[in-house]
mmCIF file of all heavy atoms in Angstrom:
data_model
loop_
_atom_site.group_PDB
_atom_site.id
_atom_site.type_symbol
_atom_site.label_atom_id
_atom_site.label_comp_id
_atom_site.label_asym_id
_atom_site.label_seq_id
_atom_site.Cartn_x
_atom_site.Cartn_y
_atom_site.Cartn_z
ATOM 1 N N CYS A 1 98.381 93.054 82.502
ATOM 2 C CA CYS A 1 99.059 94.252 81.875
ATOM 3 C C CYS A 1 100.550 94.203 82.628
ATOM 4 O O CYS A 1 100.572 94.306 83.846
ATOM 5 C CB CYS A 1 98.276 95.465 82.286
ATOM 6 S SG CYS A 1 99.139 97.003 81.769
ATOM 7 N N THR A 2 101.521 94.409 81.881
ATOM 8 C CA THR A 2 102.844 94.409 82.339
ATOM 9 C C THR A 2 103.664 95.633 82.117
ATOM 10 O O THR A 2 104.824 95.741 82.298
ATOM 11 C CB THR A 2 103.683 93.051 81.959
ATOM 12 O OG1 THR A 2 103.662 92.965 80.490
ATOM 13 C CG2 THR A 2 103.027 91.765 82.524
ATOM 14 N N GLN A 3 102.933 96.547 81.323
ATOM 15 C CA GLN A 3 103.628 97.679 80.913
ATOM 16 C C GLN A 3 103.856 98.638 82.206
ATOM 17 O O GLN A 3 103.595 98.283 83.317
ATOM 18 C CB GLN A 3 102.850 98.555 79.992
ATOM 19 C CG GLN A 3 102.873 97.950 78.633
ATOM 20 C CD GLN A 3 101.503 97.411 78.070
ATOM 21 O OE1 GLN A 3 100.712 97.515 78.877
ATOM 22 N NE2 GLN A 3 101.482 96.670 77.076
ATOM 23 N N GLY A 4 104.705 99.642 82.029
ATOM 24 C CA GLY A 4 105.134 100.589 83.144
ATOM 25 C C GLY A 4 104.037 101.125 83.958
ATOM 26 O O GLY A 4 104.159 101.296 85.228
ATOM 27 N N ASP A 5 102.863 101.487 83.274
ATOM 28 C CA ASP A 5 101.779 102.071 84.035
ATOM 29 C C ASP A 5 101.207 101.105 84.981
ATOM 30 O O ASP A 5 100.441 101.393 85.932
ATOM 31 C CB ASP A 5 100.700 102.643 83.100
ATOM 32 C CG ASP A 5 99.982 101.651 82.238
ATOM 33 O OD1 ASP A 5 100.563 100.583 82.075
ATOM 34 O OD2 ASP A 5 98.837 101.889 82.011
ATOM 35 N N ALA A 6 101.449 99.785 84.846
ATOM 36 C CA ALA A 6 100.875 98.814 85.743
ATOM 37 C C ALA A 6 101.661 98.823 87.117
ATOM 38 O O ALA A 6 101.050 98.221 88.066
ATOM 39 C CB ALA A 6 100.936 97.430 85.045
ATOM 40 N N SER A 7 102.758 99.324 87.185
ATOM 41 C CA SER A 7 103.556 99.434 88.441
ATOM 42 C C SER A 7 103.605 100.750 88.952
ATOM 43 O O SER A 7 104.341 100.937 90.008
ATOM 44 C CB SER A 7 104.964 98.820 88.022
ATOM 45 O OG SER A 7 105.660 99.573 87.152
ATOM 46 N N GLN A 8 102.866 101.795 88.559
ATOM 47 C CA GLN A 8 102.954 103.114 89.016
ATOM 48 C C GLN A 8 102.175 103.157 90.361
ATOM 49 O O GLN A 8 101.199 102.373 90.552
ATOM 50 C CB GLN A 8 102.309 104.212 88.149
ATOM 51 C CG GLN A 8 100.729 103.936 87.873
ATOM 52 C CD GLN A 8 100.010 104.799 88.806
ATOM 53 O OE1 GLN A 8 100.566 105.700 89.496
ATOM 54 N NE2 GLN A 8 98.810 104.508 89.051
ATOM 55 N N VAL A 9 102.651 103.910 91.383
ATOM 56 C CA VAL A 9 102.154 103.866 92.567
ATOM 57 C C VAL A 9 101.482 105.349 93.031
ATOM 58 O O VAL A 9 101.100 105.502 94.175
ATOM 59 C CB VAL A 9 102.958 103.406 93.833
ATOM 60 C CG1 VAL A 9 103.260 101.957 93.585
ATOM 61 C CG2 VAL A 9 104.388 104.180 93.795
ATOM 62 N N ILE A 10 101.790 106.196 92.122
ATOM 63 C CA ILE A 10 101.225 107.729 92.364
ATOM 64 C C ILE A 10 100.014 107.927 91.620
ATOM 65 O O ILE A 10 100.137 107.684 90.418
ATOM 66 C CB ILE A 10 102.320 108.655 92.139
ATOM 67 C CG1 ILE A 10 103.597 108.273 92.862
ATOM 68 C CG2 ILE A 10 101.978 110.039 92.330
ATOM 69 C CD1 ILE A 10 104.832 109.209 92.650
ATOM 70 N N GLY A 11 99.053 108.324 92.198
ATOM 71 C CA GLY A 11 97.868 108.733 91.541
ATOM 72 C C GLY A 11 96.856 107.654 91.435
ATOM 73 O O GLY A 11 97.104 106.498 92.143
ATOM 74 N N PRO A 12 95.791 107.743 90.921
ATOM 75 C CA PRO A 12 94.711 106.779 90.874
ATOM 76 C C PRO A 12 95.110 105.377 90.073
ATOM 77 O O PRO A 12 96.101 105.606 89.334
ATOM 78 C CB PRO A 12 93.488 107.350 90.243
ATOM 79 C CG PRO A 12 93.970 108.580 89.470
ATOM 80 C CD PRO A 12 95.306 108.909 90.143
ATOM 81 N N LEU A 13 94.356 104.424 90.171
ATOM 82 C CA LEU A 13 94.729 103.154 89.540
ATOM 83 C C LEU A 13 94.530 103.399 87.933
ATOM 84 O O LEU A 13 93.594 104.115 87.544
ATOM 85 C CB LEU A 13 93.614 102.104 89.859
ATOM 86 C CG LEU A 13 93.805 101.484 91.176
ATOM 87 C CD1 LEU A 13 92.564 100.486 91.409
ATOM 88 C CD2 LEU A 13 95.059 100.816 91.260
ATOM 89 N N THR A 14 95.506 102.852 87.205
ATOM 90 C CA THR A 14 95.560 103.033 85.806
ATOM 91 C C THR A 14 94.575 101.847 85.322
ATOM 92 O O THR A 14 94.154 100.916 86.018
ATOM 93 C CB THR A 14 96.940 102.803 85.236
ATOM 94 O OG1 THR A 14 97.234 101.438 85.528
ATOM 95 C CG2 THR A 14 97.886 103.843 85.747
ATOM 96 N N GLU A 15 94.203 101.865 83.991
ATOM 97 C CA GLU A 15 93.314 100.848 83.425
ATOM 98 C C GLU A 15 93.914 99.554 83.417
ATOM 99 O O GLU A 15 93.389 98.455 83.672
ATOM 100 C CB GLU A 15 93.115 101.297 81.836
ATOM 101 C CG GLU A 15 91.981 100.335 81.217
ATOM 102 C CD GLU A 15 90.772 100.299 81.960
ATOM 103 O OE1 GLU A 15 90.274 101.408 82.438
ATOM 104 O OE2 GLU A 15 90.173 99.235 82.027
ATOM 105 N N GLY A 16 95.293 99.564 83.197
ATOM 106 C CA GLY A 16 96.043 98.211 83.346
ATOM 107 C C GLY A 16 96.083 97.580 84.805
ATOM 108 O O GLY A 16 95.909 96.392 84.872
ATOM 109 N N GLN A 17 96.135 98.474 85.824
ATOM 110 C CA GLN A 17 96.032 97.960 87.192
ATOM 111 C C GLN A 17 94.670 97.534 87.507
ATOM 112 O O GLN A 17 94.435 96.487 88.145
ATOM 113 C CB GLN A 17 96.372 99.081 88.224
ATOM 114 C CG GLN A 17 97.916 99.510 88.091
ATOM 115 C CD GLN A 17 98.099 100.721 88.876
ATOM 116 O OE1 GLN A 17 97.473 101.641 89.066
ATOM 117 N NE2 GLN A 17 99.327 100.593 89.639
ATOM 118 N N ARG A 18 93.654 98.230 86.959
ATOM 119 C CA ARG A 18 92.167 97.712 87.219
ATOM 120 C C ARG A 18 92.028 96.271 86.648
ATOM 121 O O ARG A 18 91.315 95.421 87.144
ATOM 122 C CB ARG A 18 91.229 98.674 86.565
ATOM 123 C CG ARG A 18 91.032 99.988 87.388
ATOM 124 C CD ARG A 18 89.829 100.765 86.803
ATOM 125 N NE ARG A 18 89.651 101.970 87.638
ATOM 126 C CZ ARG A 18 90.277 103.075 87.497
ATOM 127 N NH1 ARG A 18 91.128 103.211 86.474
ATOM 128 N NH2 ARG A 18 90.026 104.123 88.287
ATOM 129 N N ARG A 19 92.497 96.170 85.357
ATOM 130 C CA ARG A 19 92.394 94.895 84.759
ATOM 131 C C ARG A 19 93.153 93.721 85.513
ATOM 132 O O ARG A 19 92.585 92.749 85.733
ATOM 133 C CB ARG A 19 93.006 94.962 83.330
ATOM 134 C CG ARG A 19 92.694 93.609 82.555
ATOM 135 C CD ARG A 19 93.033 93.749 81.133
ATOM 136 N NE ARG A 19 93.849 94.853 80.836
ATOM 137 C CZ ARG A 19 94.754 94.924 79.841
ATOM 138 N NH1 ARG A 19 94.937 93.999 79.019
ATOM 139 N NH2 ARG A 19 95.480 95.905 79.644
ATOM 140 N N ASN A 20 94.325 94.118 85.988
ATOM 141 C CA ASN A 20 95.082 93.110 86.693
ATOM 142 C C ASN A 20 94.427 92.757 88.012
ATOM 143 O O ASN A 20 94.300 91.562 88.435
ATOM 144 C CB ASN A 20 96.458 93.683 87.090
ATOM 145 C CG ASN A 20 97.429 93.659 85.814
ATOM 146 O OD1 ASN A 20 97.142 93.247 84.788
ATOM 147 N ND2 ASN A 20 98.641 94.336 86.002
ATOM 148 N N VAL A 21 93.687 93.698 88.652
ATOM 149 C CA VAL A 21 92.868 93.429 89.929
ATOM 150 C C VAL A 21 91.787 92.480 89.642
ATOM 151 O O VAL A 21 91.494 91.563 90.236
ATOM 152 C CB VAL A 21 92.373 94.710 90.502
ATOM 153 C CG1 VAL A 21 91.379 94.376 91.549
ATOM 154 C CG2 VAL A 21 93.612 95.491 91.180
ATOM 155 N N ALA A 22 91.201 92.828 88.430
ATOM 156 C CA ALA A 22 90.028 92.030 88.087
ATOM 157 C C ALA A 22 90.455 90.618 87.665
ATOM 158 O O ALA A 22 89.751 89.546 88.028
ATOM 159 C CB ALA A 22 89.202 92.650 86.747
ATOM 160 N N VAL A 23 91.652 90.397 86.987
ATOM 161 C CA VAL A 23 92.147 89.095 86.748
ATOM 162 C C VAL A 23 92.432 88.281 87.996
ATOM 163 O O VAL A 23 92.062 87.055 88.212
ATOM 164 C CB VAL A 23 93.419 89.037 85.883
ATOM 165 C CG1 VAL A 23 94.106 87.796 85.700
ATOM 166 C CG2 VAL A 23 93.083 89.659 84.439
ATOM 167 N N VAL A 24 93.111 88.992 88.938
ATOM 168 C CA VAL A 24 93.504 88.291 90.157
ATOM 169 C C VAL A 24 92.192 87.956 90.964
ATOM 170 O O VAL A 24 92.073 86.770 91.458
ATOM 171 C CB VAL A 24 94.325 89.180 91.092
ATOM 172 C CG1 VAL A 24 94.568 88.585 92.554
ATOM 173 C CG2 VAL A 24 95.698 89.336 90.501
ATOM 174 N N ASN A 25 91.146 88.798 90.902
ATOM 175 C CA ASN A 25 89.843 88.427 91.593
ATOM 176 C C ASN A 25 89.172 87.242 90.903
ATOM 177 O O ASN A 25 88.650 86.400 91.705
ATOM 178 C CB ASN A 25 89.026 89.693 91.654
ATOM 179 C CG ASN A 25 89.373 90.788 92.675
ATOM 180 O OD1 ASN A 25 90.124 90.448 93.590
ATOM 181 N ND2 ASN A 25 88.819 91.975 92.398
ATOM 182 N N SER A 26 89.310 87.141 89.631
ATOM 183 C CA SER A 26 88.584 86.059 88.991
ATOM 184 C C SER A 26 89.313 84.708 89.334
ATOM 185 O O SER A 26 88.672 83.713 89.442
ATOM 186 C CB SER A 26 88.431 86.172 87.515
ATOM 187 O OG SER A 26 89.605 86.171 86.787
ATOM 188 N N LEU A 27 90.750 84.820 89.339
ATOM 189 C CA LEU A 27 91.457 83.671 89.844
ATOM 190 C C LEU A 27 91.056 83.186 91.165
ATOM 191 O O LEU A 27 91.017 81.952 91.639
ATOM 192 C CB LEU A 27 92.987 83.883 89.660
ATOM 193 C CG LEU A 27 93.428 83.942 88.152
ATOM 194 C CD1 LEU A 27 94.873 84.568 88.170
ATOM 195 C CD2 LEU A 27 93.434 82.672 87.510
ATOM 196 N N TYR A 28 91.003 84.282 92.099
ATOM 197 C CA TYR A 28 90.643 83.837 93.468
ATOM 198 C C TYR A 28 89.262 83.268 93.541
ATOM 199 O O TYR A 28 89.173 82.296 94.338
ATOM 200 C CB TYR A 28 90.664 85.182 94.226
ATOM 201 C CG TYR A 28 90.219 84.909 95.692
ATOM 202 C CD1 TYR A 28 91.146 84.199 96.667
ATOM 203 C CD2 TYR A 28 89.013 85.302 96.203
ATOM 204 C CE1 TYR A 28 90.872 84.029 97.912
ATOM 205 C CE2 TYR A 28 88.679 85.120 97.494
ATOM 206 C CZ TYR A 28 89.573 84.444 98.390
ATOM 207 O OH TYR A 28 89.153 84.214 99.693
ATOM 208 N N ARG A 29 88.192 83.710 92.833
ATOM 209 C CA ARG A 29 86.920 83.246 92.799
ATOM 210 C C ARG A 29 86.937 81.721 92.308
ATOM 211 O O ARG A 29 86.224 80.884 92.858
ATOM 212 C CB ARG A 29 85.885 84.070 92.056
ATOM 213 C CG ARG A 29 85.531 85.346 92.705
ATOM 214 C CD ARG A 29 84.324 86.032 92.043
ATOM 215 N NE ARG A 29 84.657 86.254 90.748
ATOM 216 C CZ ARG A 29 85.090 87.481 90.310
ATOM 217 N NH1 ARG A 29 85.467 88.367 91.117
ATOM 218 N NH2 ARG A 29 85.138 87.651 88.849
ATOM 219 N N LEU A 30 87.727 81.424 91.216
ATOM 220 C CA LEU A 30 87.838 80.089 90.742
ATOM 221 C C LEU A 30 88.468 79.190 91.786
ATOM 222 O O LEU A 30 87.940 78.082 92.017
ATOM 223 C CB LEU A 30 88.680 80.105 89.473
ATOM 224 C CG LEU A 30 88.866 78.728 88.932
ATOM 225 C CD1 LEU A 30 87.632 78.133 88.341
ATOM 226 C CD2 LEU A 30 89.775 78.716 87.814
ATOM 227 N N GLN A 31 89.717 79.739 92.453
ATOM 228 C CA GLN A 31 90.347 78.930 93.548
ATOM 229 C C GLN A 31 89.254 78.551 94.584
ATOM 230 O O GLN A 31 89.234 77.527 95.078
ATOM 231 C CB GLN A 31 91.511 79.689 94.054
ATOM 232 C CG GLN A 31 92.324 78.894 95.047
ATOM 233 C CD GLN A 31 91.898 79.212 96.506
ATOM 234 O OE1 GLN A 31 91.406 80.275 96.749
ATOM 235 N NE2 GLN A 31 92.103 78.163 97.286
ATOM 236 N N GLN A 32 88.424 79.560 95.089
ATOM 237 C CA GLN A 32 87.494 79.303 96.146
ATOM 238 C C GLN A 32 86.505 78.247 95.700
ATOM 239 O O GLN A 32 86.085 77.367 96.473
ATOM 240 C CB GLN A 32 86.730 80.584 96.470
ATOM 241 C CG GLN A 32 87.540 81.644 97.204
ATOM 242 C CD GLN A 32 88.125 81.021 98.496
ATOM 243 O OE1 GLN A 32 89.205 80.661 98.576
ATOM 244 N NE2 GLN A 32 87.303 81.391 99.524
ATOM 245 N N ALA A 33 86.008 78.399 94.446
ATOM 246 C CA ALA A 33 85.020 77.374 93.947
ATOM 247 C C ALA A 33 85.681 76.027 93.858
ATOM 248 O O ALA A 33 84.949 75.006 94.253
ATOM 249 C CB ALA A 33 84.489 77.748 92.669
ATOM 250 N N VAL A 34 86.877 75.889 93.373
ATOM 251 C CA VAL A 34 87.522 74.623 93.263
ATOM 252 C C VAL A 34 87.698 73.978 94.633
ATOM 253 O O VAL A 34 87.512 72.720 94.874
ATOM 254 C CB VAL A 34 88.902 74.709 92.469
ATOM 255 C CG1 VAL A 34 89.716 73.369 92.583
ATOM 256 C CG2 VAL A 34 88.568 74.990 91.103
ATOM 257 N N THR A 35 88.230 74.781 95.641
ATOM 258 C CA THR A 35 88.270 74.248 96.960
ATOM 259 C C THR A 35 86.976 73.742 97.566
ATOM 260 O O THR A 35 87.055 72.741 98.238
ATOM 261 C CB THR A 35 88.923 75.435 97.859
ATOM 262 O OG1 THR A 35 90.118 75.850 97.263
ATOM 263 C CG2 THR A 35 89.179 75.014 99.302
#
């Protein structure tokens, strides 16, 4: 998610931020497995 709500820092996580975190976590798990 690259819209404006993805970069907000006030308040709880937005849906876009949650999705971005999940994407980064899946990439990290893949990297760990490949290593």
Side-chain angles (χ1 to χ4, degrees):
C1 177
T2 58
Q3 285 112 10
D5 68 332
S7 61
Q8 70 88 20
V9 292
I10 299 172
L13 289 175
T14 65
E15 187 58 38
Q17 288 172 326
R18 281 189 180 88
R19 187 173 17 150
N20 289 351
V21 167
V23 168
V24 169
N25 285 337
S26 71
L27 287 166
Y28 178 73
R29 286 192 304 271
L30 180 67
Q31 185 267 332
Q32 290 294 93
V34 168
T35 301

